[in-house]
Amino acid sequence: DDLVPYTEEAARLTKLVGQYGRTMTLMSPGGMVEVDGQRVHAFSEGLVIDPGESVEIVEIRGTRVLVR
């Protein structure tokens, strides 16, 4: 079996898809969000999002989440 180093992290992040969180930093387009008490590396679809805005986790890519 091939070992993917981030498999455990990807499984954890997959559980966050569909949940809402709040941006902790300026998303331009990357930054940090808080979801369910967890700090998560995230990125937007090329949009700048101000800190403190509500965002939805729409998918994961590697070890980061895509927010909208």
Side-chain angles (χ1 to χ4, degrees), residues 2-4 6-7 19-20 23-24 27-28 30 34-35 37-38 44-46 52-53 55-57 67-68:
D2 291 332
L3 177 64
V4 180
Y6 59 85
T7 302
Q19 293 189 36
Y20 289 85
T23 56
M24 300 177 71
M27 304 285 296
S28 63
E34 183 176 5
V35 182
Q38 303 175 58
S44 67
E45 297 173 308
E53 295 290 322
V55 291
E56 180 184 7
I57 309 300
V67 297
R68 183 176 299 145

